[in-house]
Amino acid sequence: MTLAIRSRPPGGAVARRRRLPGGAVTRRVAGHLVRGLVMIWVVATISFVIIREIPGDPVAGQYESLIQKGMSPEQAERAAAVLYGFLPTGSLWEQYVGYMGSLLHLDLGQSLSTPGVPVTTLIGAAARWTVLPVLAGTLLSFLLGVVMGVYAAIKRSGKLGDALALSGSLLHGVPVYVIGLLLTAIFATLWPIMPSGGPVEIEAVPGLNAGYVGSLVHHAVLPVVTYTLASYGGWILAMKSNVVAVLGDDFILAAELRGLRRGVVFRYLARNAILPLFTVLALSIGMLFGGSIFIEEIFNYPGLGLLLVNSISTRDYALMGGTFLVITVGIVVANIAADLLYTAIDPRVRSGGSA
Amino acid sequence: MTVIAGPGEAVVPRTAAGTTRATLRRNFWRGVWRVMRRKPSRMAGVAIIALFAVMGAFGPLLYPAHLPRDNGALYAPPSWAHPLGTDFEGTDVLALVITGARYVLLTGLATAVITVALGTAIGLFSGFRRGRWDTLLMRITDMNLAIPGLPLLLVLSTVWKFTSPLEMGLVLGLLGWGGVARAVRSQTLSLRERGFIEAARGLGLPTTHIIGRELLPGMAPYIAMNMLIAVTGAVYAQVGLFFLGVLPFDANNWGVMLNFAVFNGGALTTPAALPYLLAPLIAILLLTLGIVLLIDAMDEIFNPRLREE
């Protein structure tokens, strides 16, 4: 009896862990979440320190000027706290705790350049203009890059493969603003078939009418093409090297020897080579959020990047800190999502549990 | 004299070691030459990089410190006098591109040195020591990789005026070492399990010797390639920051040209300022092309399996 009790648990536990990899997955997910939260905390701290340590101390300056306008210290304190999301008085530690507290309530303060508007409202309005083109560009470049990558790998010793690989290396190497500026110079200045900036024609009446939607699409073409070209190079190079690696695997040879149709072999190849690309997906979304700053500046697209640049040139520190934080959170979330997706689709990661 | 290597005996006699090393070196350069000759594009890559290096080193010496203005020819189209036209105050665009190269390339160089030195040191230490230090350093590396560089640079530009190219290089280097550190660490982890490292440790050779003489030479090509990539990355980041107009313009460089062409010259709506916009863009494209071709050649030189004999 005692012997049975003593001997069963260890063996049972091991067997259960083998059969149900749920524990490993949960641990992995938890690890990602904790790491993501730490990242967000670090970035929030950086943005607090920067707002606080900027030469001239804008928060204290605001507080002083409000008092000079005849406010009582309490009123001025409250007004400055509304603007920046934390109290301008008290020790640095108290200010920091106040700032973190308001972040927990999703309060990023109020914009200084457009007075009375909460930073979160501005960011919410801008986010649409960033997320949609980024998603469209990422998907397009992913599809294009994966297909071209397979071709570049199969034809790797010919002229076509060489040309494809070189196009990938070049586009991967060229900075996104060069692509955007060249496209605009060609299609908006020299041969003006595309609008040169703005998200939509000014005359168009907002709403679900053909003119407005058509104008939206027309204005989105160049930015989306720029996103696509900027990230296409990374996909084709990664896909090519993955396919080349898989081509050497035994199961492909076996499939060919078994006389399977080309399409089937192609599917084997693609499925095995695409898996590792999902980690690249995270990095590329991160890159696109960074690159979106240039694209939005070039095409005058009112997204998060333009909001950040404008907040810096108008010295709107509350808006600057908030936008920076939101861009980072977007990247962290994209990273975690891609990692989880990878865990979900790759059986090796799922059962291995080696995080 | 024939030398038969017995157990415990050096394969190469000590007296001949010097000449052997010289022969190896000569063979290496011969291999480099062969790889370069196989594709003319690689020679073009080397030529482009050499051109930029000369431009960075001697470009500013070719022109007076203050470039001449020509008020009679604002935004002049390309001509014999001004092969790439002129800018908003009649200054020759070609002269601007050439003199602007030094600032840009110097930043790239400074960044590359810092990125590679930091990345290699952290990666080596982390991979060699393992354990607690490794975990801590890799957490910091992940952080370095995950924080978006450009938004952070933009925000930092409100506190820090990146006045000199070296200062700029320092900041870019401090933000960019993560990738190199990760890669060097994984290289170290795989190399340290190999026989020759185990043997060196078994012989009781000092760690500095193992790292400097046994580990680093194997990684040198990899580090060199990363250095090239870091140069381009820094050039792009810096030109981009100047283009966005968040940094004070205290020197002539390509990013400043882009900014003026787009936001003052209206190059995106009228063709007048187009040469002024295109000149730095084409310079960047050429630099990228040169580096891509050079990396292609280096790949094959250092990775003999890629050589198509």
Side-chain angles (χ1 to χ4, degrees):
Chain A
M1 184 67 194
T2 44
L3 195 108
I5 288 170
R6 226 176 256 155
S7 67
R8 208 182 289 148
V14 168
R16 206 173 303 141
R17 203 175 300 147
R18 270 207 200 118
R19 228 173 293 135
L20 287 175
V25 173
T26 322
R27 223 174 310 127
R28 217 178 136 82
V29 172
H32 282 310
L33 289 180
V34 168
R35 242 171 280 161
L37 283 175
V38 170
M39 271 283 311
I40 292 170
W41 168 69
V42 166
V43 172
T45 307
I46 292 176
S47 88
F48 170 80
V49 168
I50 285 176
I51 296 176
R52 200 56 203 63
E53 293 304 307
I54 275 170
D57 197 346
V59 189
Q62 194 75 34
Y63 176 69
E64 292 299 324
S65 85
L66 288 174
I67 286 187
Q68 301 224 315
K69 278 181 194 159
M71 275 193 185
S72 69
E74 291 82 40
Q75 277 177 312
E77 221 173 74
R78 218 175 307 132
V82 165
L83 280 174
Y84 288 100
F86 60 91
L87 293 171
T89 53
S91 70
L92 203 59
W93 176 248
E94 281 165 20
Q95 296 184 22
Y96 180 65
V97 171
Y99 177 70
M100 288 296 169
S102 52
L103 280 192
L104 282 182
H105 296 103
L106 299 179
D107 172 16
L108 297 171
Q110 284 193 3
S111 165
L112 300 172
S113 47
T114 42
V117 181
V119 165
T120 42
T121 312
L122 289 172
I123 290 177
R128 292 180 279 173
W129 295 110
T130 295
V131 169
L132 282 179
V134 163
L135 277 184
T138 310
L139 285 179
L140 274 176
S141 65
F142 182 79
L143 289 176
L144 198 68
V146 162
V147 173
M148 291 301 172
V150 175
Y151 273 105
I154 293 173
K155 309 246 182 252
R156 67 184 175 287
S157 40
K159 280 258 185 303
L160 177 66
D162 263 359
L164 280 175
L166 187 67
S167 83
S169 306
L170 261 183
L171 279 173
H172 185 56
V174 172
V176 53
Y177 55 84
V178 172
I179 299 175
L181 286 173
L182 280 177
L183 283 179
T184 338
I186 296 168
F187 295 110
T189 315
L190 281 178
W191 182 32
I193 53 165
M194 286 292 168
S196 68
V200 68
E201 217 62 57
I202 302 166
E203 301 98 68
V205 188
L208 260 180
N209 56 66
Y212 185 74
V213 175
S215 169
L216 271 183
V217 172
H218 192 208
H219 280 250
V221 170
L222 279 185
V224 169
V225 169
T226 309
Y227 279 113
T228 308
L229 288 180
S231 45
Y232 153 82
W235 295 123
I236 183 174
L237 292 181
M239 190 64 189
K240 184 197 160 191
S241 74
N242 288 348
V243 171
V244 169
V246 176
L247 272 176
D249 279 351
D250 292 338
F251 70 93
I252 293 292
L253 185 67
E256 275 172 357
L257 288 180
R258 265 154 60 208
L260 290 180
R261 265 180 292 118
R262 282 217 113 166
V264 179
V265 179
F266 192 85
R267 216 160 53 217
Y268 280 15
L269 260 179
R271 200 175 284 172
N272 279 281
I274 274 181
L275 270 187
L277 286 190
F278 283 96
T279 38
V280 188
L281 189 69
L283 298 174
S284 103
I285 288 177
M287 193 209 85
L288 282 174
F289 268 102
S292 79
I293 294 176
F294 289 120
I295 293 177
E296 286 162 16
E297 182 83 11
I298 292 169
F299 296 104
N300 200 14
Y301 230 66
L304 290 173
L306 197 62
L307 197 65
L308 180 64
V309 175
N310 287 344
S311 71
I312 288 169
S313 40
T314 56
R315 299 288 176 227
D316 188 341
Y317 295 113
L319 185 56
M320 179 188 81
T323 315
F324 175 54
L325 195 64
V326 168
I327 289 179
T328 315
V329 170
I331 292 171
V332 169
V333 170
N335 274 312
I336 294 175
D339 263 335
L340 294 185
L341 192 66
Y342 192 58
T343 314
I345 56 175
D346 192 341
R348 282 164 296 186
V349 179
R350 213 183 319 153
S351 58
S354 56
Chain B
M1 187 186 101
T2 51
V3 181
I4 298 149
E9 207 181 82
V11 182
V12 180
R14 204 155 277 168
T15 46
T19 53
T20 319
R21 207 166 288 157
T23 318
L24 272 178
R25 206 174 299 139
R26 211 171 322 120
N27 284 342
F28 174 76
W29 285 113
R30 209 173 289 154
V32 168
W33 179 241
R34 223 179 22 240
V35 167
M36 294 310 242
R37 237 185 358 192
R38 191 166 305 124
K39 283 190 193 166
S41 62
R42 291 173 180 161
M43 298 291 244
V46 175
I48 293 171
I49 298 300
L51 176 75
F52 276 104
V54 170
M55 239 158 84
F58 304 110
L61 304 178
L62 297 175
Y63 294 94
H66 290 282
L67 292 172
R69 297 173 180 186
D70 182 356
N71 288 325
L74 308 185
Y75 288 125
S79 63
W80 280 114
H82 305 291
L84 297 176
T86 61
D87 73 349
F88 58 98
E89 43 182 26
T91 308
D92 186 49
V93 168
L94 182 64
L96 284 171
V97 171
I98 292 178
T99 51
R102 177 181 282 184
Y103 191 104
V104 171
L105 294 177
L106 207 56
T107 313
L109 215 59
T111 312
V113 169
I114 293 166
T115 306
V116 166
L118 256 181
T120 311
I122 290 174
L124 270 178
F125 185 80
S126 205
F128 210 72
R129 271 292 172 84
R130 298 203 285 197
R132 206 172 297 163
W133 275 103
D134 182 25
T135 317
L136 178 70
L137 284 174
M138 281 306 114
R139 283 280 171 277
I140 297 175
T141 309
D142 285 342
M143 211 72 95
N144 183 286
L145 280 172
I147 291 182
L150 185 72
L152 182 60
L153 271 175
L154 285 175
V155 172
L156 276 181
S157 74
T158 57
V159 225
W160 197 346
K161 305 283 163 247
F162 311 93
T163 40
S164 77
L166 294 178
E167 205 175 306
M168 181 102 193
L170 179 72
V171 177
L172 289 173
L174 285 177
L175 290 178
W177 52 268
V180 181
R182 268 237 165 263
V184 167
R185 172 177 173 272
S186 69
Q187 281 269 34
T188 310
L189 282 179
S190 85
L191 281 179
R192 79 191 302 260
E193 304 303 329
R194 303 265 178 87
F196 67 100
I197 299 289
E198 297 244 316
R201 252 188 309 199
L203 285 173
L205 292 173
T207 315
T208 48
H209 175 96
I210 295 180
I211 289 178
R213 281 299 171 94
E214 314 284 348
L215 273 178
L216 270 181
M219 277 185 244
Y222 188 80
I223 292 172
M225 283 214 264
N226 265 296
M227 203 137 168
L228 266 184
I229 294 168
V231 170
T232 39
V235 167
Y236 300 159
Q238 179 214 24
V239 171
L241 281 177
F242 277 106
F243 163 61
L244 290 177
V246 292
L247 300 180
F249 299 153
D250 60 344
N252 151 42
N253 82 48
W254 300 343
V256 176
M257 294 174 74
L258 290 179
N259 181 284
F260 278 139
V262 171
F263 299 108
N264 296 353
L268 298 186
T269 45
T270 52
L274 215 47
Y276 186 44
L277 170 74
L278 289 178
L281 287 183
I282 289 168
I284 295 172
L285 273 178
L286 256 184
L287 183 67
T288 314
L289 183 69
I291 287 188
V292 163
L293 294 175
L294 200 62
I295 286 179
D296 171 55
M298 282 170 80
D299 242 349
E300 201 171 308
I301 292 168
F302 293 122
N303 200 348
R305 264 183 302 174
L306 285 179
R307 284 185 209 169
E308 308 146 19
E309 292 299 345

